[in-house]
Amino acid sequence: MAVSEEECSSTKSRSASNNGARYLAKCVLRGSVVLQVVHGHFRSPTSNDIVFGKETSLELVIIGEDGIVQSVCEQAVFGTIKDLAVLHWKERFHYQNPQMQGRDLLVAVSDSGKLSLLRFCNEMHRFFPVTHVQLSSPGNLRNQLGRMLAIDSNSHISKFGDGNGERLEGDFLVSMERSWSCSYQFAFMNHGCFIATSAYEDRLAMFSISMATSSDIIDKRIFYPSEIEGDSGIARSVHRTSIDGTVWSMCFISKDLTQPSRGYNPVLAIILNRRGAVLTELVLLEWAIIENTVRAISQYAESGHLAHSIVEVPHSYGFAFMFRIGDALLMDLRDAHNPCCVYRTSFDILPTSVEQNFVEESCRVHDGDEDGIFNVAASALLELKDYVAKGDDPMNIDSDSGIVKSSSKHVYALSWEPGNEKNSRMMFCVDTGELFMIEISFDSDGPRVNLSDCLYRGLSCKALLWVAGGFLAALVEMGDGMVLQLEQGRLVHRSPIQNIAPILDMAVVDCHDEEHDQMFACCGVTPEGSLRIIRSGISLEKLLRTAPIYQGITGIWTIKMKVSDSYHSFLVLSFVEETRVLSVGLSFTDVTDSVGFQPDVSTLACGIVDDGLLVQIHRNGVKLCLPTTVAHPDGIPLSCPICTSWFPENISISLGAVGYNSIVVATSSPCFIYILGVRSVSAYQYEIYEMQHVRLQNEVSCISIPHKHFDKKPSFFLNNLVGNSCAAALLIGVNIGRIFVIGTHKPSVEILSFLPDEGLRILASGAISLTNTLGTAVSGCIPQDVRLVLVDRFYVLSGLRNGMLLRFELPAASMVFSSELSSHSPSVSSCSVNDADNTLSNMMVPNSIGPQMCAINISEETNINSPVNLQLIAIRRIGITPVFLVPLSDSLEADIIALSDRPWLLQSARHSLSYTSISFQPSTHVTPVSSIECPMGILFVAENSLHLVEMVHSKRLNVQKFFLGGTPRKVLYHSESRLLLVMRTELNQDTYSSDICCVDPLSGSLLSSFKLELGETGKSMELVRVVNEQVLVVGTSLSSGPAMMPSGEAESTKGRLIVLCLEHMQNSDSGSMTFCSKAGLSSQRTSPFREIVGYAAEQLSGSSLCSSPDDTSCDGVRLEESEAWQLRLAYTTTWPGMVLSICPYLDRYFLASAGNSFYVCGFPNDNPQRVRRFSVGRTRFMIISLTAHFTRIAVGDCRDGVVFYSYHEDSKKLEQLYCDPEQRLVADCILMDVDTAVVSDRKGSIAVLSCSNHFEDNASPECNLTLKCSYYMGEIAMSIKKGSFSYKLPADDILKGCDGSNAIIDFSENSIMASTLLGSIIMFIAISREEHELLEAVQARLVVHPLTAPILGNDHNEFRSRESPVRKAGVPKILDGDMLAQFLELTNMQQEAVLALPLGSLEKVTSSSKQALPSPISVNRVVQLLERIHYALN
């Protein structure tokens, strides 16, 4: 195929730039799947802490009084957590560290092969290891110890219980044999807790915990069967023992310590599935302390049901529940030699109770994926990730062998009530999602068991945790969890627990051409499938959250006592029929009576008109108040506040605003606007008087009075603003203190000035006229809020009721305001103007007064008597609810919070505005609150609570959820329609189970869908260009069952290739909004899409789109994504195999795979109604992925890895060029350039492969790709894309002018983004060789330093290189950004200590690093580099 020299050279340069790329991996969003949940007193003896085990990270959270989960901290463990338990502190425990007294320890087992005891360090705000016990070699083999945990601390804790209730603390009295030695007697006297851990098969170990201060915390240990010393980690043949088989569950059986006994030998109950047996059995093992042996003392088995777990009943001393498929047995194990069943509960006849708010459809395992990865239970994906030993087939993950299928109900999760020692109560969830409660009581007749009705029905839970306050945390594996509360015998939903896993596909999109990517991710499975929008935002530090007692808030404001005060004095809360005033300080005290505000009305607006003069506007009138010293030290020294009021005649006030020395109120029906003033009558006596009122043609929708103070010097602004004018102009003054802005129902925005001698004057006006493509006016364009702001010039911002934000600008030769202030404040005017007959229109007589000036630049052609037309220069949809604009200070330059259904921060940034998402939940109201203790506070109203927060100088990812139903499999962004195309499967419909739907990315609304045939399942889809339009090519499966055999070969199946055209629905009367230049309005200056989200600044220079006055190419540009589009069938054909992958190729072809074949296809004569296959290529096994870059094709084989191909157009043949050097279970693959591929596999690794060292002329099918680098994530990345969440802050513009700032990192080109089944998002960032060498040496020190080493005892180098071939000399590592980020959390002294570690004691570092790095390494140099990386991502 002929390639132009220009294309070839550009390709080679791109390839060369990537060949030397070195990567740093950073997790920007941690996984959300909770596999283990425990709670205890980790931070202090009184804290109620909950720990979520998320396989690769630990998160410590609390549940507030309102039932909302609040995260305290989250940390990576640099390993894989297998199980968690809690070692509760007891009074007889004596730790060597006094800070550990009264605090519980977290016990963990992991793939490190170690048993780890962890404590929480409040200073470092994270967990640290207390000790590690080596159990086996690192890895996930079935016979390696460390699969599950059980703890007996004489408090009846086990893996399945919550283990956090108060336990009986009897005296530890034992009678000891005379033959015992004194030393052994002392050691045994101090035993009080035992830990057991098992492998999947054949093996277990037990440990005793020492309570003596002078000994190790692990006192004694025993392995069963016994190990040869030094050979504990070696897999060997196991002789037949009492646990010859798979251990499914285990727990300790406690004894009553108050009863006489010859000694305390712990008894462990296990559920065992012996090799070859169909059913499981209960086996009781005893650890004989004296002989130091483990022996089986009894076993129990019943025919019929399969037992799967066992859990001890707290405070029962010998009773345990054994759960089976279909029932539960209460076992009496007090006599461990003779176990017996005393009560049986059948789950097949469980009582039911149906409520309307219950979710009727339970979660089920979804249908087969392209390679059958979802054919097994969810736990096989997310928990039971045991990659088998050598010789086993890795494709066994697709096998159903060993899975017992039954229609009977069985328990999925359970938790015991904490603190109840009289009657033990347990909450459990069955596989149908129903929650029940069992209560066990004991009397002289024996145990009594009471089973409740169904308390709640929802999704089946992976884990349950019953905590204090009656709250129940219910964790779902593939959907959002929830917090429930037990009230009056029912479970009530309190709040969700977000879980975005699994992420099956993602689209990284710059929706508005804003140079800021956001991710649209397909998350969850049926029935809870959803689309999540993930974008970067500003982090907030949460300082205070009140109880949810603030229902019905209609407004919230903060007021200063004096205009010049630095801090706010009062917080005003308006309710539907009430107003409360709180003092701002350490505690918010109600001072309503001392302030004087009327408490029995709803406040419309309030503020300060002068020092000590507060104004309240309500529907009936305006009230002026002088607070007393009880409310504020600067108040009047009287017992009661002094108040005066003004009332309109026979009319109600609809809205108002308060400014310095000015009050403006408006009415509706009839529409009047009143200008009010305040004057002094005598000492402490003031009156409100009417200065003017006029009747309006249109009702006022909002009013804003700008503050007169500017932060910067007058000369700076005057020179700057005049310099930006198009021509020299005459300056005509207008008093800045008399300016206000209104929005009307016309709809329009208008800038008005009021002069006592002349009345009202319109200075500028801008009509709002938005239409859709059919010419219909867009509804909801009435301004909800309006503000005058100053950036490089003055703008008017208007938030509309339909969720849009408009920005108007004064023409270049028009109006600017100087900040020149008079040396003294003007006195309150005594003039009164009453002109009821005047009608305020768009034409008024001009006036000018005052020393405080607002300058108007007027050219010769300008009519001074006419108001200036405001130019609508930018439109931005920020939500779907009305937009409120709340400045964070009184300055016109202040940052503004734009509050819609989600909050945004508007900031000035180098001649423009930037829009940044704020990482906070949906809120109804917001106001700044400044106090001595919290000078930069912000108060949000959300979920009936007040949230006091502060913005911090960091960023985080926001996640927004759109519920879709079914299982969303694929997502694409269609740029022309600005819609998302989502493929859904497993829909619960009678006529179809899969479809492709069009989704509005703003509201999540499903606008239209194309339904596949009944029994047909969508598998793949891609947008392909045909001339000037894009068509959607869809691949499906017409066969049920898996796509391939366990060996990786394709099954004999059928599929369908479908071509769909996306077109307008002509019969729709609601479509996308367009901005059309109307008569009477100036033509637009810039594209309406230049408003920038993120920290990137919007561009308003002359080089912006449509900057020329004569350029009309932007007229009619679509502003909204909600236009109705439909998918029309253009072509369909049946193929021999499931069509699992589709990829566009060279802008005129597309690639599609079916089975182990892939085809180069095209549209003859550019007709989308015809598809022709030009060439075919074949691999040995099922093709999982297809990707292309320019002429290069990369094929992902499910076993042979990645294969490079090239297509020759002249001969219409495919040529195989390079092969993967290793067998690889490909999950996804992308091409960074023609030579470099990035591939993720099913074992949790990601690798970079390249052919840059080969010459294509000498290539042959035997040529292998070169492994450039690899990284073990511990999570399966099902989707990898180019792109990033990086963006600049406004401060970056300043940094560029500083020394050394040229190293600001841009990740947009060579970054890789991976999303995983556990819900993580991991970024792979390309860095330079010098940066890599520096950070590699720092990482080598961090992985061994006690403050930063992996807390579960993993060898960091072994973990990150797992599932990868042996590293070759000179192959660079992919650096661990999570490990390096810990360096920034250390103090300066700790950082110096880390860098001072000698290289000789560290893991191997490349020789080039050793030679190039200076010694010692500069702390500042490392910090600056890490901060730039951390700054751009976090």
Side-chain angles (χ1 to χ4, degrees), residues 294-317:
V294 175
R295 55 176 178 258
I297 55 177
S298 64
Q299 61 186 36
Y300 180 90
E302 278 191 13
S303 60
H305 296 290
L306 179 72
H308 57 84
S309 61
I310 187 167
V311 58
E312 187 188 21
V313 178
H315 322 296
S316 64
Y317 304 113

PDB file of all heavy atoms in Angstrom, residues 294-317:
ATOM      1  N   VAL A 294      -2.637 -31.017  66.693  1.00  0.00           N
ATOM      2  CA  VAL A 294      -4.010 -30.791  66.249  1.00  0.00           C
ATOM      3  C   VAL A 294      -4.617 -32.135  65.902  1.00  0.00           C
ATOM      4  O   VAL A 294      -4.012 -32.929  65.167  1.00  0.00           O
ATOM      5  CB  VAL A 294      -4.055 -29.855  65.022  1.00  0.00           C
ATOM      6  CG1 VAL A 294      -5.478 -29.723  64.497  1.00  0.00           C
ATOM      7  CG2 VAL A 294      -3.499 -28.488  65.376  1.00  0.00           C
ATOM      8  N   ARG A 295      -5.788 -32.399  66.452  1.00  0.00           N
ATOM      9  CA  ARG A 295      -6.449 -33.684  66.182  1.00  0.00           C
ATOM     10  C   ARG A 295      -7.926 -33.454  65.903  1.00  0.00           C
ATOM     11  O   ARG A 295      -8.542 -32.518  66.431  1.00  0.00           O
ATOM     12  CB  ARG A 295      -6.282 -34.634  67.360  1.00  0.00           C
ATOM     13  CG  ARG A 295      -6.754 -34.086  68.696  1.00  0.00           C
ATOM     14  CD  ARG A 295      -6.654 -35.123  69.801  1.00  0.00           C
ATOM     15  NE  ARG A 295      -7.056 -34.586  71.098  1.00  0.00           N
ATOM     16  CZ  ARG A 295      -6.230 -34.216  72.044  1.00  0.00           C
ATOM     17  NH1 ARG A 295      -4.916 -34.334  71.863  1.00  0.00           N
ATOM     18  NH2 ARG A 295      -6.695 -33.730  73.194  1.00  0.00           N
ATOM     19  N   ALA A 296      -8.476 -34.293  65.035  1.00  0.00           N
ATOM     20  CA  ALA A 296      -9.906 -34.256  64.753  1.00  0.00           C
ATOM     21  C   ALA A 296     -10.626 -35.034  65.834  1.00  0.00           C
ATOM     22  O   ALA A 296     -10.326 -36.202  66.082  1.00  0.00           O
ATOM     23  CB  ALA A 296     -10.190 -34.862  63.385  1.00  0.00           C
ATOM     24  N   ILE A 297     -11.580 -34.380  66.497  1.00  0.00           N
ATOM     25  CA  ILE A 297     -12.268 -35.035  67.606  1.00  0.00           C
ATOM     26  C   ILE A 297     -13.665 -35.511  67.231  1.00  0.00           C
ATOM     27  O   ILE A 297     -14.221 -36.385  67.900  1.00  0.00           O
ATOM     28  CB  ILE A 297     -12.334 -34.101  68.830  1.00  0.00           C
ATOM     29  CG1 ILE A 297     -12.982 -32.766  68.459  1.00  0.00           C
ATOM     30  CG2 ILE A 297     -10.943 -33.861  69.395  1.00  0.00           C
ATOM     31  CD1 ILE A 297     -13.132 -31.840  69.650  1.00  0.00           C
ATOM     32  N   SER A 298     -14.252 -34.952  66.167  1.00  0.00           N
ATOM     33  CA  SER A 298     -15.574 -35.427  65.723  1.00  0.00           C
ATOM     34  C   SER A 298     -15.875 -34.852  64.357  1.00  0.00           C
ATOM     35  O   SER A 298     -15.201 -33.925  63.886  1.00  0.00           O
ATOM     36  CB  SER A 298     -16.663 -35.027  66.724  1.00  0.00           C
ATOM     37  OG  SER A 298     -16.775 -33.623  66.796  1.00  0.00           O
ATOM     38  N   GLN A 299     -16.927 -35.412  63.759  1.00  0.00           N
ATOM     39  CA  GLN A 299     -17.417 -34.894  62.499  1.00  0.00           C
ATOM     40  C   GLN A 299     -18.910 -35.115  62.415  1.00  0.00           C
ATOM     41  O   GLN A 299     -19.456 -35.991  63.097  1.00  0.00           O
ATOM     42  CB  GLN A 299     -16.714 -35.541  61.309  1.00  0.00           C
ATOM     43  CG  GLN A 299     -16.897 -37.043  61.195  1.00  0.00           C
ATOM     44  CD  GLN A 299     -16.056 -37.625  60.067  1.00  0.00           C
ATOM     45  OE1 GLN A 299     -14.939 -37.170  59.821  1.00  0.00           O
ATOM     46  NE2 GLN A 299     -16.592 -38.627  59.402  1.00  0.00           N
ATOM     47  N   TYR A 300     -19.587 -34.300  61.586  1.00  0.00           N
ATOM     48  CA  TYR A 300     -21.044 -34.375  61.494  1.00  0.00           C
ATOM     49  C   TYR A 300     -21.427 -34.150  60.041  1.00  0.00           C
ATOM     50  O   TYR A 300     -20.949 -33.218  59.386  1.00  0.00           O
ATOM     51  CB  TYR A 300     -21.679 -33.296  62.376  1.00  0.00           C
ATOM     52  CG  TYR A 300     -23.190 -33.285  62.348  1.00  0.00           C
ATOM     53  CD1 TYR A 300     -23.928 -34.041  63.246  1.00  0.00           C
ATOM     54  CD2 TYR A 300     -23.873 -32.504  61.417  1.00  0.00           C
ATOM     55  CE1 TYR A 300     -25.310 -34.015  63.227  1.00  0.00           C
ATOM     56  CE2 TYR A 300     -25.258 -32.474  61.385  1.00  0.00           C
ATOM     57  CZ  TYR A 300     -25.972 -33.228  62.292  1.00  0.00           C
ATOM     58  OH  TYR A 300     -27.351 -33.224  62.269  1.00  0.00           O
ATOM     59  N   ALA A 301     -22.291 -35.008  59.526  1.00  0.00           N
ATOM     60  CA  ALA A 301     -22.747 -34.892  58.144  1.00  0.00           C
ATOM     61  C   ALA A 301     -24.173 -35.393  58.048  1.00  0.00           C
ATOM     62  O   ALA A 301     -24.559 -36.337  58.735  1.00  0.00           O
ATOM     63  CB  ALA A 301     -21.841 -35.675  57.199  1.00  0.00           C
ATOM     64  N   GLU A 302     -24.957 -34.724  57.221  1.00  0.00           N
ATOM     65  CA  GLU A 302     -26.325 -35.129  56.924  1.00  0.00           C
ATOM     66  C   GLU A 302     -26.499 -35.187  55.424  1.00  0.00           C
ATOM     67  O   GLU A 302     -25.969 -34.348  54.700  1.00  0.00           O
ATOM     68  CB  GLU A 302     -27.340 -34.144  57.516  1.00  0.00           C
ATOM     69  CG  GLU A 302     -27.649 -34.357  58.981  1.00  0.00           C
ATOM     70  CD  GLU A 302     -28.853 -33.529  59.419  1.00  0.00           C
ATOM     71  OE1 GLU A 302     -29.571 -33.013  58.541  1.00  0.00           O
ATOM     72  OE2 GLU A 302     -29.059 -33.380  60.641  1.00  0.00           O
ATOM     73  N   SER A 303     -27.248 -36.135  54.967  1.00  0.00           N
ATOM     74  CA  SER A 303     -27.521 -36.230  53.542  1.00  0.00           C
ATOM     75  C   SER A 303     -28.572 -35.200  53.159  1.00  0.00           C
ATOM     76  O   SER A 303     -29.352 -34.756  53.986  1.00  0.00           O
ATOM     77  CB  SER A 303     -28.024 -37.638  53.191  1.00  0.00           C
ATOM     78  OG  SER A 303     -29.216 -37.918  53.909  1.00  0.00           O
ATOM     79  N   GLY A 304     -28.557 -34.817  51.916  1.00  0.00           N
ATOM     80  CA  GLY A 304     -29.570 -33.890  51.413  1.00  0.00           C
ATOM     81  C   GLY A 304     -28.984 -32.574  50.985  1.00  0.00           C
ATOM     82  O   GLY A 304     -28.722 -32.352  49.800  1.00  0.00           O
ATOM     83  N   HIS A 305     -28.739 -31.689  51.939  1.00  0.00           N
ATOM     84  CA  HIS A 305     -28.321 -30.328  51.597  1.00  0.00           C
ATOM     85  C   HIS A 305     -26.807 -30.163  51.729  1.00  0.00           C
ATOM     86  O   HIS A 305     -26.156 -30.827  52.530  1.00  0.00           O
ATOM     87  CB  HIS A 305     -29.032 -29.317  52.491  1.00  0.00           C
ATOM     88  CG  HIS A 305     -30.525 -29.300  52.292  1.00  0.00           C
ATOM     89  ND1 HIS A 305     -31.127 -28.817  51.161  1.00  0.00           N
ATOM     90  CD2 HIS A 305     -31.539 -29.710  53.104  1.00  0.00           C
ATOM     91  CE1 HIS A 305     -32.438 -28.923  51.269  1.00  0.00           C
ATOM     92  NE2 HIS A 305     -32.712 -29.466  52.450  1.00  0.00           N
ATOM     93  N   LEU A 306     -26.308 -29.220  50.981  1.00  0.00           N
ATOM     94  CA  LEU A 306     -24.879 -28.924  50.973  1.00  0.00           C
ATOM     95  C   LEU A 306     -24.587 -27.804  51.963  1.00  0.00           C
ATOM     96  O   LEU A 306     -25.087 -26.693  51.817  1.00  0.00           O
ATOM     97  CB  LEU A 306     -24.440 -28.505  49.566  1.00  0.00           C
ATOM     98  CG  LEU A 306     -22.969 -28.142  49.387  1.00  0.00           C
ATOM     99  CD1 LEU A 306     -22.105 -29.387  49.454  1.00  0.00           C
ATOM    100  CD2 LEU A 306     -22.750 -27.418  48.056  1.00  0.00           C
ATOM    101  N   ALA A 307     -23.788 -28.093  52.981  1.00  0.00           N
ATOM    102  CA  ALA A 307     -23.392 -27.064  53.948  1.00  0.00           C
ATOM    103  C   ALA A 307     -22.283 -26.209  53.354  1.00  0.00           C
ATOM    104  O   ALA A 307     -21.364 -26.722  52.716  1.00  0.00           O
ATOM    105  CB  ALA A 307     -22.932 -27.723  55.239  1.00  0.00           C
ATOM    106  N   HIS A 308     -22.362 -24.884  53.577  1.00  0.00           N
ATOM    107  CA  HIS A 308     -21.365 -23.998  52.978  1.00  0.00           C
ATOM    108  C   HIS A 308     -20.691 -23.069  53.984  1.00  0.00           C
ATOM    109  O   HIS A 308     -19.631 -22.518  53.698  1.00  0.00           O
ATOM    110  CB  HIS A 308     -21.987 -23.165  51.859  1.00  0.00           C
ATOM    111  CG  HIS A 308     -23.168 -22.349  52.277  1.00  0.00           C
ATOM    112  ND1 HIS A 308     -23.055 -21.113  52.854  1.00  0.00           N
ATOM    113  CD2 HIS A 308     -24.501 -22.599  52.191  1.00  0.00           C
ATOM    114  CE1 HIS A 308     -24.248 -20.627  53.108  1.00  0.00           C
ATOM    115  NE2 HIS A 308     -25.150 -21.508  52.720  1.00  0.00           N
ATOM    116  N   SER A 309     -21.254 -22.866  55.169  1.00  0.00           N
ATOM    117  CA  SER A 309     -20.604 -21.984  56.134  1.00  0.00           C
ATOM    118  C   SER A 309     -21.080 -22.309  57.537  1.00  0.00           C
ATOM    119  O   SER A 309     -22.150 -22.907  57.738  1.00  0.00           O
ATOM    120  CB  SER A 309     -20.876 -20.507  55.816  1.00  0.00           C
ATOM    121  OG  SER A 309     -22.261 -20.239  55.865  1.00  0.00           O
ATOM    122  N   ILE A 310     -20.270 -21.916  58.517  1.00  0.00           N
ATOM    123  CA  ILE A 310     -20.602 -22.100  59.918  1.00  0.00           C
ATOM    124  C   ILE A 310     -20.183 -20.858  60.682  1.00  0.00           C
ATOM    125  O   ILE A 310     -19.159 -20.233  60.379  1.00  0.00           O
ATOM    126  CB  ILE A 310     -19.915 -23.365  60.500  1.00  0.00           C
ATOM    127  CG1 ILE A 310     -20.418 -23.619  61.932  1.00  0.00           C
ATOM    128  CG2 ILE A 310     -18.393 -23.263  60.443  1.00  0.00           C
ATOM    129  CD1 ILE A 310     -20.043 -24.984  62.461  1.00  0.00           C
ATOM    130  N   VAL A 311     -20.990 -20.461  61.649  1.00  0.00           N
ATOM    131  CA  VAL A 311     -20.727 -19.272  62.448  1.00  0.00           C
ATOM    132  C   VAL A 311     -21.222 -19.526  63.861  1.00  0.00           C
ATOM    133  O   VAL A 311     -22.289 -20.109  64.074  1.00  0.00           O
ATOM    134  CB  VAL A 311     -21.406 -18.029  61.839  1.00  0.00           C
ATOM    135  CG1 VAL A 311     -22.900 -18.209  61.719  1.00  0.00           C
ATOM    136  CG2 VAL A 311     -21.085 -16.791  62.646  1.00  0.00           C
ATOM    137  N   GLU A 312     -20.437 -19.099  64.852  1.00  0.00           N
ATOM    138  CA  GLU A 312     -20.789 -19.331  66.249  1.00  0.00           C
ATOM    139  C   GLU A 312     -21.828 -18.317  66.713  1.00  0.00           C
ATOM    140  O   GLU A 312     -21.841 -17.171  66.283  1.00  0.00           O
ATOM    141  CB  GLU A 312     -19.544 -19.226  67.127  1.00  0.00           C
ATOM    142  CG  GLU A 312     -19.819 -19.616  68.572  1.00  0.00           C
ATOM    143  CD  GLU A 312     -18.647 -19.324  69.485  1.00  0.00           C
ATOM    144  OE1 GLU A 312     -17.800 -18.489  69.119  1.00  0.00           O
ATOM    145  OE2 GLU A 312     -18.582 -19.924  70.558  1.00  0.00           O
ATOM    146  N   VAL A 313     -22.707 -18.748  67.601  1.00  0.00           N
ATOM    147  CA  VAL A 313     -23.684 -17.863  68.231  1.00  0.00           C
ATOM    148  C   VAL A 313     -23.000 -17.147  69.393  1.00  0.00           C
ATOM    149  O   VAL A 313     -22.492 -17.809  70.305  1.00  0.00           O
ATOM    150  CB  VAL A 313     -24.909 -18.647  68.726  1.00  0.00           C
ATOM    151  CG1 VAL A 313     -25.891 -17.700  69.424  1.00  0.00           C
ATOM    152  CG2 VAL A 313     -25.585 -19.370  67.570  1.00  0.00           C
ATOM    153  N   PRO A 314     -22.957 -15.807  69.385  1.00  0.00           N
ATOM    154  CA  PRO A 314     -22.264 -15.099  70.473  1.00  0.00           C
ATOM    155  C   PRO A 314     -22.880 -15.387  71.839  1.00  0.00           C
ATOM    156  O   PRO A 314     -24.101 -15.573  71.964  1.00  0.00           O
ATOM    157  CB  PRO A 314     -22.439 -13.618  70.093  1.00  0.00           C
ATOM    158  CG  PRO A 314     -22.744 -13.618  68.642  1.00  0.00           C
ATOM    159  CD  PRO A 314     -23.482 -14.886  68.370  1.00  0.00           C
ATOM    160  N   HIS A 315     -22.020 -15.464  72.850  1.00  0.00           N
ATOM    161  CA  HIS A 315     -22.418 -15.627  74.259  1.00  0.00           C
ATOM    162  C   HIS A 315     -23.147 -16.940  74.514  1.00  0.00           C
ATOM    163  O   HIS A 315     -23.819 -17.074  75.535  1.00  0.00           O
ATOM    164  CB  HIS A 315     -23.325 -14.472  74.719  1.00  0.00           C
ATOM    165  CG  HIS A 315     -22.940 -13.139  74.172  1.00  0.00           C
ATOM    166  ND1 HIS A 315     -21.745 -12.538  74.483  1.00  0.00           N
ATOM    167  CD2 HIS A 315     -23.585 -12.292  73.309  1.00  0.00           C
ATOM    168  CE1 HIS A 315     -21.673 -11.369  73.856  1.00  0.00           C
ATOM    169  NE2 HIS A 315     -22.775 -11.212  73.128  1.00  0.00           N
ATOM    170  N   SER A 316     -23.038 -17.882  73.620  1.00  0.00           N
ATOM    171  CA  SER A 316     -23.780 -19.137  73.802  1.00  0.00           C
ATOM    172  C   SER A 316     -22.899 -20.254  74.334  1.00  0.00           C
ATOM    173  O   SER A 316     -23.420 -21.259  74.816  1.00  0.00           O
ATOM    174  CB  SER A 316     -24.394 -19.574  72.468  1.00  0.00           C
ATOM    175  OG  SER A 316     -23.370 -19.877  71.523  1.00  0.00           O
ATOM    176  N   TYR A 317     -21.565 -20.107  74.220  1.00  0.00           N
ATOM    177  CA  TYR A 317     -20.614 -21.097  74.719  1.00  0.00           C
ATOM    178  C   TYR A 317     -20.912 -22.488  74.176  1.00  0.00           C
ATOM    179  O   TYR A 317     -21.251 -23.399  74.905  1.00  0.00           O
ATOM    180  CB  TYR A 317     -20.610 -21.120  76.243  1.00  0.00           C
ATOM    181  CG  TYR A 317     -20.312 -19.786  76.848  1.00  0.00           C
ATOM    182  CD1 TYR A 317     -21.287 -19.107  77.561  1.00  0.00           C
ATOM    183  CD2 TYR A 317     -19.071 -19.188  76.682  1.00  0.00           C
ATOM    184  CE1 TYR A 317     -21.029 -17.856  78.100  1.00  0.00           C
ATOM    185  CE2 TYR A 317     -18.803 -17.941  77.215  1.00  0.00           C
ATOM    186  CZ  TYR A 317     -19.788 -17.285  77.927  1.00  0.00           C
ATOM    187  OH  TYR A 317     -19.530 -16.048  78.450  1.00  0.00           O
TER     188      TYR A 317
END
